């Protein structure tokens, strides 16, 4: 059974309420329920924090034990060298995820501080971006 940690960063606790035209109407909790049903072969853990250091602590906690991390770092994507370093410091591969296609949005969202430290990046597929990232861990060995 593969152990996958999903980590959502700042403001993603408001999915379903926050800018629905960009992020959709579903809460992450309802989407997570669907994901767990669809991937019974995975043990899916979920963590959300609005605090950069808490996200780093979670990455350290699971990063030598889990098979994969699906990370939507929210706006910290565009600013956080500390998250980049945390991803580099661990053994577990990390897939960066975004709900929106950040490259069609404001220029400050076109830069990611974390992509270079990640195994891959999936963006622009709405909530399905999370499933595609999960699928990448299911269909590959490492
Ligand atoms: C986001 C894109 C970021 O630019 C933004 O700050 C978010 C959400 C996305 O999932 O599309 O909070 O990561």
């Amino acid at each position: 059974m593969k152990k996958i940690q999903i980590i959502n960063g700042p403001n993603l606790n408001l999915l379903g309420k926050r800018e629905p035209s960009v992020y959709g109407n579903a809460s992450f909790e309802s989407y997570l329920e669907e994901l767990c049903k669809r991937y019974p072969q995975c043990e899916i853990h979920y963590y959300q924090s609005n605090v950069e250091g808490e996200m780093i602590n979670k990455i350290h906690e699971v990063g030598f034990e889990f098979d994969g991390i699906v990370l939507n770092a929210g706006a910290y994507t565009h600013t956080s060298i500390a998250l980049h370093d945390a991803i580099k410091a661990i053994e577990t591969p990390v897939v960066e995820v975004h709900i929106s296609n950040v490259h069609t949005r404001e220029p400050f969202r076109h830069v990611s501080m974390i992509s270079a430290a990640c195994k891959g990046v999936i963006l622009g597929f709405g909530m399905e971006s999370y499933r595609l990232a999960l699928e990448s861990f299911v269909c590959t060995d490492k």
Side-chain angles (χ1 to χ4, degrees):
M1 187 108 147
K2 287 204 169 175
K3 280 175 92 167
I4 308 293
Q5 177 72 55
I6 299 174
I7 301 176
N8 269 344
N11 302 305
L12 293 165
N13 53 313
L14 296 182
L15 285 174
K17 295 185 189 135
R18 171 195 184 195
E19 297 182 85
S21 60
V22 179
Y23 299 113
N25 294 303
S27 70
F28 195 77
E29 286 69 18
S30 62
Y31 183 70
L32 185 61
E33 221 173 285
E34 295 307 310
L35 265 190
C36 292
K37 275 188 209 145
R38 190 152 171 183
Y39 290 91
Q41 72 274 45
C42 290
E43 190 182 305
I44 301 172
H45 295 241
Y46 176 58
Y47 180 76
Q48 190 278 330
S49 176
N50 294 318
V51 179
E52 186 178 15
E54 288 178 359
M55 293 171 67
I56 292 167
N57 286 342
K58 179 54 77 175
I59 289 169
H60 293 175
E61 183 190 316
V62 302
F64 296 89
E65 192 206 330
F66 278 48
D67 299 294
I69 297 175
V70 175
L71 173 63
N72 186 346
Y76 289 138
T77 303
H78 316 298
T79 62
S80 180
I81 296 167
L83 274 173
H84 174 110
D85 286 348
I87 296 164
K88 285 269 272 260
I90 58 166
E91 287 168 0
T92 301
V94 177
V95 173
E96 175 185 350
V97 157
H98 300 285
I99 297 164
S100 63
N101 180 348
V102 287
H103 297 291
T104 63
R105 302 180 64 195
E106 304 94 321
F108 62 82
R109 294 184 205 277
H110 298 180
V111 174
S112 169
M113 292 294 168
I114 64 172
S115 295
C118 289
K119 184 179 180 197
V121 182
I122 296 174
L123 57 91
F125 294 96
M127 293 288 233
E128 283 294 88
S129 295
Y130 292 92
R131 189 184 66 72
L132 294 167
L134 191 62
E135 185 68 37
S136 78
F137 288 120
V138 170
C139 73
T140 54
D141 271 342
K142 258 293 163 193

